[in-house]
């Protein structure tokens, strides 16, 4: 395959990307042209929220073609367009044959959560130090243990296993099911794992079956029950432990719902929060009767926890 690299201004990126797909590029990716320089821009959004900008001020667009002739023809067609006056060809280069599966796998090594609790991809040997092991491969749903927010949640679970013993747990926004499975491996009772994305529910079911086949709930099934949010319905005050690793904006909006699901005396554990967002989360949950505190911090992300008072009715 051959990679065509173009440089474009923000205003041209969407049109350029569409045009490349129309002329049958195998793939199109957009990157910050100033990445790893002092002019690099942070550009990201949160689920359900409008994206402030579609691309960087100076964007690099890379597209793949089956042959050098097709890549050259694509560049020629693009530069002939009236709207492409600010588009520049950076080069065309051959992309060597690679074992893409092996390359992807090489990026995911075993992840230590504690000295004895590890997340291990299925293609790796289990480290000798690992006493509690979760087998998890990267997939369509978020959560492999490599992100600081996930690691901090799992570390909280491991360090607070006593509070989980035989308790009903809610994992809200379960993604791959990693937190739900982690709770079950550390002795919780049934975990209700919910997500708005059906693909996440499917991933959670598959990962739970792979990791928890040796554990059975009182009903004879797996200790992780996965479904869409309506699965938990109006179950206010039902869960001694509620976990939510999402992002700050949805966590803020969900404050009444999540607080309502925490049983009296129960624990709320929130992640997906940047350190600079600490106060806005504290303010949001104070309004529903919970006093959030920072329990951990890693790479600019924080883990926040609260315990509901036994007499609280929030």
């Amino acid at each position: 395959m051959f990679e065509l690299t173009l440089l474009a201004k923000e205003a041209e990126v969407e049109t350029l990307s569409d045009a490349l797909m129309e002329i049958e590029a195998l793939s199109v990716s957009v990157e910050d042209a100033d990445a790893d320089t002092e002019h690099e821009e942070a550009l990201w959004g949160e689920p359900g929220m409008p994206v402030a900008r579609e691309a960087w001020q100076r964007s690099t667009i890379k597209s793949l073609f089956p042959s050098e002739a097709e890549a050259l023809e694509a560049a020629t067609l693009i530069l002939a367009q009236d709207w492409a006056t600010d588009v520049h060809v950076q080069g065309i280069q051959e992309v060597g044959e690679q074992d893409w599966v092996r390359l992807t796998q090489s990026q995911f090594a075993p992840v230590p959560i504690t000295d004895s609790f590890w997340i291990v991809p299925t293609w790796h040997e289990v480290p000798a130090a690992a006493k509690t092991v979760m087998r998890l491969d990267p997939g369509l749903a978020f959560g492999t243990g490599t992100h600081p927010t996930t690691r901090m949640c799992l570390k909280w679970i491991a360090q607070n296993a006593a509070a989980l013993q035989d308790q009903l747990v809610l994992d809200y926004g379960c993604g791959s099911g990693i937190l739900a499975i982690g709770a079950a491996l550390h002795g919780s009772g049934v975990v209700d794992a919910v997500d708005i994305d059906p693909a996440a529910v499917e991933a959670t079911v598959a990962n739970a079956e792979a990791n928890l086949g040796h554990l059975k709930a009182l009903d004879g099934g797996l200790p992780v029950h996965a479904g869409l949010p309506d699965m938990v319905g109006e179950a206010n005050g039902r869960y001694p432990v509620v976990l939510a690793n999402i992002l700050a904006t949805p966590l803020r909006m969900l404050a009444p719902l999540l607080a309502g699901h925490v049983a009296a005396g129960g624990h709320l554990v929130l992640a997906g929060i940047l350190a600079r967002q600490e106060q806005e989360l504290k303010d949001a949950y104070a309004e529903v009767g919970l006093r959030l505190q920072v329990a951990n911090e890693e790479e600019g992300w924080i883990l926040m926890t609260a315990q509901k008072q036994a007499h609280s009715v929030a």
Side-chain angles (χ1 to χ4, degrees):
M1 293 185 291
F2 286 79
E3 182 180 74
L4 167 64
T5 303
L6 302 167
L7 181 67
K9 293 183 178 179
E10 179 183 348
E12 282 83 38
V13 169
E14 184 174 1
T15 302
L16 177 55
S17 298
D18 290 343
L20 287 165
M21 296 305 295
E22 284 290 328
I23 54 182
E24 300 184 348
L26 299 175
S27 69
V28 177
S29 63
V30 183
E31 303 172 3
D32 184 358
D34 296 312
D36 299 323
T37 74
E38 61 180 10
H39 301 296
E40 181 177 6
E41 297 179 273
L43 185 61
W44 53 279
E46 298 190 11
M49 302 298 291
V51 179
R53 289 167 50 199
E54 296 292 339
W56 294 269
Q57 291 184 26
R58 285 174 16 97
S59 294
T60 298
I61 297 88
K62 296 182 178 181
S63 53
L64 288 177
F65 293 89
S67 68
E68 185 174 16
E70 288 169 282
L72 182 58
E73 181 181 4
T76 303
L77 287 171
I78 291 295
L79 295 180
Q81 305 305 309
D82 292 339
W83 49 263
T85 54
D86 290 321
V87 175
H88 302 281
V89 176
Q90 298 290 93
I92 296 174
Q93 62 180 16
E94 185 175 7
V95 178
E97 290 292 331
Q98 298 195 59
D99 183 337
W100 293 105
V101 172
R102 187 178 297 277
L103 179 63
T104 299
Q105 290 179 347
S106 70
Q107 299 173 22
F108 292 91
V111 179
I113 303 303
T114 67
D115 290 343
S116 60
F117 177 30
W118 289 64
I119 312 299
V120 185
T122 56
W123 55 82
H124 276 280
E125 293 290 331
V126 175
K131 306 305 180 186
T132 302
V133 177
M134 190 188 309
R135 288 289 202 174
L136 203 66
D137 296 339
L140 295 178
F142 175 81
T144 59
T146 58
H147 196 275
T149 61
T150 309
R151 289 198 302 269
M152 288 189 293
C153 286
L154 290 170
K155 186 173 293 186
W156 186 94
I157 288 170
Q159 294 173 342
N160 292 273
L164 291 168
Q165 295 306 301
D166 301 318
Q167 297 295 325
L168 188 60
V169 175
L170 174 62
D171 178 6
Y172 201 94
C174 58
S176 66
I178 188 169
L179 302 187
I181 296 166
L185 289 173
H186 284 85
S188 72
V190 169
V191 184
D192 285 340
V194 303
D195 204 290
I196 61 174
D197 184 356
V201 174
E202 293 178 10
T204 296
V205 171
N207 288 328
E209 289 175 346
N211 283 278
L212 304 174
H214 63 294
L215 300 175
K216 297 295 181 182
L218 293 177
D219 62 4
L222 291 174
V224 170
H225 298 170
L228 299 174
D230 59 6
M231 182 180 80
V232 297
E234 298 297 326
N236 288 337
R238 182 182 180 191
Y239 299 93
V241 179
V242 174
L243 310 166
N245 180 19
I246 316 177
L247 283 172
T249 297
L251 286 175
R252 189 175 66 246
M253 296 170 63
L254 290 168
L257 183 147
L258 293 176
H261 282 316
V262 183
H267 298 271
L268 177 66
V269 181
L270 305 179
I273 307 162
L274 292 168
R276 60 178 172 79
Q277 297 168 321
E278 173 186 344
Q279 193 58 49
E280 65 183 88
L281 268 295
K282 284 184 174 179
D283 293 344
Y285 281 81
E287 293 180 4
V288 292
L290 289 177
R291 184 182 177 188
L292 284 176
Q293 298 292 327
V294 175
N296 201 353
E297 181 171 0
E298 190 175 330
E299 297 179 21
W301 298 90
I302 56 176
L303 181 78
M304 303 190 77
T305 62
Q307 185 169 14
K308 181 177 283 190
Q309 296 299 312
H311 63 272
S312 174
V313 295

